Amino acid sequence: RRLQRLSRRATSVPQGAGLSPAPRRFCSDPSKTPGVAVTKAGAGETHVLPHQEVTQIKLDSKQTGGRISVFESLLPPGTGAPWHSHQEAGDTEVFYVLQGQLMFGWDGGSVIASSGDTVACLPSSPRCFTNVGEVDARVLVINTPGGAESYVRAMASHGSDPLDPKEASRTAAAHGISLMRPPRGAYNGWPTE
């Protein structure tokens, strides 16, 4: 009954608003609705990556027709991603910080992004990021077009210990990501272990 009351409220449109009320139809299984992909809270494919990063794939490219990939990552203090670009992969990467502080570096600048901040990086722009806080950072990562989940899975196959830089570079290159040296004078926050 409560759902029916909410439905009536949601479909009540003032006269002359120029909008049509949405149909009063509820689907208990969104996966049966073409064009809809849903991953419930706490669900998703979870992977532990090198440096103890935990990444949960919320939406992969199969669910979105190749248009987008969405992950939620938990990064311990001092961890992140070394200097890299997605030029070969061709995806734009958007970061929405849910918790903690991440230092993002790019050629010519850097910024500390905190809860609620968003950073977007185009495919050709070299970037790095590091958790500079004292607690784990949580970040929602959106890649468009999708497909970046294959890189997450490949990195997870190496286990949770720090990865040899040559092996990290080979794995990244196999997924269209180029690891690189920091641009001269640029922020280099990647841990040197």
Side-chain angles (χ1 to χ4, degrees), residues 10-150:
T11 59
S12 302
V13 178
Q15 288 293 351
L19 301 173
S20 302
R24 292 184 189 169
R25 195 178 89 194
F26 292 94
C27 179
S28 61
D29 186 0
S31 66
K32 293 182 179 177
T33 305
V36 175
V38 176
T39 302
K40 300 292 270 180
E45 186 182 317
T46 302
H47 298 279
V48 180
L49 283 63
H51 298 282
Q52 302 294 319
E53 175 185 332
V54 178
T55 294
Q56 189 173 64
I57 299 172
K58 298 304 222 172
L59 294 173
D60 71 16
S61 57
K62 287 181 199 163
Q63 293 171 282
T64 65
R67 289 180 175 83
I68 192 169
S69 298
V70 180
F71 328 125
E72 184 177 336
S73 293
L74 186 70
L75 299 111
T79 65
W83 279 94
H84 68 285
S85 76
H86 293 227
Q87 191 159 359
E88 293 299 316
D91 61 317
T92 296
E93 195 169 33
V94 179
F95 303 87
Y96 179 75
V97 180
L98 300 166
Q99 165 188 307
Q101 294 184 318
L102 294 173
M103 171 73 83
F104 287 87
W106 61 87
D107 192 5
S110 63
V111 67
I112 294 178
S114 300
S115 297
D117 292 343
T118 304
V119 175
C121 301
L122 298 177
S124 59
S125 59
R127 83 292 304 252
C128 71
F129 59 90
T130 306
N131 178 355
V132 294
E134 295 180 11
V135 299
D136 290 346
R138 279 182 44 235
V139 62
L140 192 66
V141 183
I142 303 164
N143 293 79
T144 181
E149 68 274 4
S150 65

Side-chain angles (χ1 to χ4, degrees), residues 83 105-108 126-127 180-188:
W83 279 94
W106 61 87
D107 192 5
R127 83 292 304 252
M180 59 189 61
R181 294 180 185 274
R184 176 170 261 176
Y187 167 75
N188 184 17

